[in-house]
Amino acid sequence: MSGEATALQEQEGADPRRWKALTVCLVAGFMTLLDVSIVNVALPAIRTGLDAPQSDLQWVVSGYALTFGLALIPAGRFGDMHGRRNAFVLGVVLFTLSSAAAGMAGDPTLLVIARLVQGMAGGILNPQVSGLIQQLFRGAERGRAFGMLGTVIGVSTAVGPLLGGALIQLGGGPDAWRLVFYVNVPIGVLAVVLAYRYIRPPAHGRRPRESMDPVGVLLLAAGITLALLPFVEGQQWRGPEKWLALLAGIVVLAVFVVWERRYGRSHQPVVDLSLFRRRSYALGVLLGTLYFAGFTAIFFVLTLYLQNGLSYSALEAGLATTPFAGGSAVTAALGGRVVTRLGRSLVVSGLLVVAASLGVTVLAVLLVPGEHVGWAIALPLVFAGLGSGLVISPNQTLTLSEVPVPVAGAAGGVLQTGQRIGAAMGIAAIGAVFFSEVASSHGDYALAFRHSLLVTIVFVLISLVVAVADVFVSRRSGLG
């Protein structure tokens, strides 16, 4: 009875349209996160259709990730200041228009530009989703909402190759890749209409006029760009001097921290560094960064192995990722419901399952002939997905659980920026292992895939160490 009373108390005064508003946010968020991976299976068709060089194809993928990551934190701060609905709608409109431009692109340069704008739009939109969840939900409901967001994050990344392959197969012909972008247009238009209907503007009006901390924004953008460039250009920029850019990025980010500390004495900085004094937030951001370094790269190297190594079609390669997506969808929703009771130990369980399942996947590729490998890895990928669902949404809930609502957008932007940086670093590191093994083994794609999965497992295990440390410290603090 007490549980029901608590639930009723949490819902008192809540927006009655909050679940419909969440649905609109999740559909738009799914669309932007889907575009991280949906393009991978379309690259061969884009190369043929536009006669695109490899360097442009690299930027079609990495340029989206770069501008996505650059926009997250400033956009989160903008939404906190001027209303999350306004920022959300701006992001959806920009994403819809840039998707249409990408579909209509007549040469590789125009496609790259459209993808850069598309990534920026995704970066504007996504921190508003986590900020609105913080704003609209409380208590156990917030855990359920973040569980649904975790489902979207996990499934969108995994199902992207399947949907991309299906659209290309459906379209047929040399221009079928354009459907990968056009599919966003009707979804975006509908999302804008429903956002105005179901997402309320701020009840208290606009907050007092504040500076957007332009110096902080510029330093952050420069630091992230320099740090990410060696990774997003990893296959094209092969000289050792590229690591000077990473070093310069670290230096600029250090200057950014100094500036934010000084600026924060009298103004609201773009990143509230005091958030990192909260153990749940600091460790959650670190864990998310490390896990996404391994998690996102799985589908990158799997698609390369199946399409380039085993001559799978785009649709067949996409189908091979669906077991992971299905498993993730089941447990992400469940994890969101129980995370408030189980805490970070739930994340520990998920990471153990992911690491063990990927180990079994390595064995399956070693023991089963190439033409049957898609079936051989299906079951271990189901279990890897089940484990992943217990990592992403619970970690998101726990990381943001103690964040004040007024800075929820910027805090969510920092978390997602870490995830995007992790994804870029992971794809670069694991992709480098994959391509190096293919070259040194004279085309043994199975060997390259196994070795790259081992690197993925290392990232997962490092994430596990962070999660276990958090559980250990929490229990010691509880005893104290």
Side-chain angles (χ1 to χ4, degrees):
M1 187 67 182
S2 61
E4 293 177 6
T6 302
L8 287 173
Q9 190 175 15
E10 287 170 359
Q11 294 173 22
E12 187 176 346
D15 187 342
R17 297 175 295 183
R18 62 193 181 281
W19 291 107
K20 291 179 180 178
L22 176 64
T23 301
V24 177
C25 290
L26 294 183
V27 168
F30 180 86
M31 177 175 65
T32 61
L33 294 170
L34 187 75
D35 269 59
V36 174
S37 61
I38 194 174
V39 174
N40 288 342
V41 295
L43 292 179
I46 293 172
R47 182 176 61 234
T48 303
L50 295 182
D51 192 24
Q54 186 61 39
S55 58
D56 285 346
L57 292 177
Q58 175 78 12
W59 272 98
V60 168
V61 177
S62 60
Y64 181 90
L66 178 62
T67 53
F68 194 117
L70 286 176
L72 283 166
I73 297 174
R77 172 76 192 286
F78 181 87
D80 292 339
M81 291 174 58
H82 300 291
R84 297 181 181 109
R85 187 182 74 170
N86 296 337
F88 177 83
V89 170
L90 172 64
V92 175
V93 169
L94 196 59
F95 191 87
T96 304
L97 293 174
S98 56
S99 295
M104 292 185 291
D107 63 67
T109 301
L110 291 176
L111 178 58
V112 169
I113 293 171
R115 284 287 285 174
L116 291 172
V117 176
Q118 205 182 22
M120 182 181 299
I124 293 172
L125 185 161
N126 272 275
Q128 316 314 324
V129 176
S130 59
L132 283 165
I133 290 176
Q134 295 278 92
Q135 176 182 315
L136 294 172
F137 298 96
R138 298 289 182 273
E141 275 198 348
R142 183 181 287 177
R144 287 176 57 197
F146 272 121
M148 295 169 70
L149 176 60
T151 301
V152 165
I153 294 171
V155 172
S156 61
T157 305
V159 84
L162 172 63
L163 182 56
L167 288 170
I168 291 170
Q169 183 111 349
L170 177 68
D175 288 329
W177 60 269
R178 298 181 188 274
L179 292 177
V180 167
F181 301 108
Y182 284 143
V183 71
N184 296 324
V185 175
I187 299 172
V189 171
L190 183 62
V192 170
V193 173
L194 295 179
Y196 278 113
R197 181 169 182 178
Y198 294 125
I199 303 176
R200 285 182 178 176
H204 50 74
R206 183 173 293 185
R207 289 171 56 180
R209 190 171 184 84
E210 297 176 9
S211 170
M212 271 290 291
D213 184 13
V215 174
V217 169
L218 288 174
L219 286 171
L220 181 64
I224 291 176
T225 301
L226 288 167
L228 282 181
L229 267 179
F231 298 102
V232 300
E233 279 282 89
Q235 293 304 307
Q236 304 303 319
W237 189 2
R238 296 185 179 275
E241 67 276 2
K242 68 182 178 183
W243 301 115
L244 293 176
L246 174 60
L247 180 61
I250 293 172
V251 171
V252 172
L253 289 174
V255 174
F256 166 76
V257 171
V258 173
W259 167 261
E260 292 296 275
R261 288 185 183 279
R262 179 181 175 185
Y263 188 80
R265 292 173 190 161
S266 55
H267 302 85
Q268 179 65 42
V270 67
V271 175
D272 187 351
L273 297 177
S274 67
L275 288 171
F276 289 94
R277 297 182 196 140
R278 305 171 190 262
R279 190 188 69 251
S280 61
Y281 186 78
L283 289 181
V285 171
L286 177 60
L287 193 154
T289 301
L290 292 168
Y291 181 68
F292 268 72
F295 155 72
T296 312
I298 295 171
F299 313 105
F300 176 65
V301 294
L302 178 59
T303 301
L304 287 171
Y305 170 41
L306 295 178
Q307 286 192 274
N308 295 352
L310 299 177
S311 300
Y312 276 39
S313 69
L315 179 58
E316 289 170 335
L319 282 169
T321 66
T322 54
F324 189 104
S328 180
V330 171
T331 52
L334 174 64
R337 292 176 181 272
V338 300
V339 65
T340 51
R341 295 201 307 270
L342 299 179
R344 193 75 73 183
S345 59
L346 183 66
V347 178
V348 170
S349 301
L351 289 167
L352 285 170
V353 173
V354 173
S357 301
L358 292 179
V360 174
T361 305
V362 172
L363 289 176
V365 175
L366 179 64
L367 298 174
V368 177
E371 63 269 19
H372 302 301
V373 76
W375 292 106
I377 64 176
L379 186 59
L381 284 181
V382 168
F383 280 96
L386 290 171
S388 187
L390 297 178
V391 176
I392 295 175
S393 65
N395 184 62
Q396 187 121 0
T397 304
L398 295 167
T399 303
L400 299 176
S401 61
E402 298 177 10
V403 170
V405 172
V407 295
V414 172
L415 173 60
Q416 293 185 54
T417 299
Q419 292 171 350
R420 298 275 70 84
I421 290 174
M425 292 173 61
I427 288 174
I430 295 166
V433 171
F434 183 90
F435 290 119
S436 174
E437 289 293 335
V438 168
S440 62
S441 65
H442 305 290
D444 190 340
Y445 280 85
L447 178 67
F449 181 61
R450 292 199 306 272
H451 285 187
S452 58
L453 272 190
L454 291 175
V455 180
T456 299
I457 294 170
V458 170
F459 278 115
V460 175
L461 291 176
I462 297 173
S463 307
L464 177 62
V465 171
V466 175
V468 169
D470 190 30
V471 171
F472 179 73
V473 173
S474 297
R475 289 179 178 172
R476 286 199 63 180
S477 300
L479 289 173

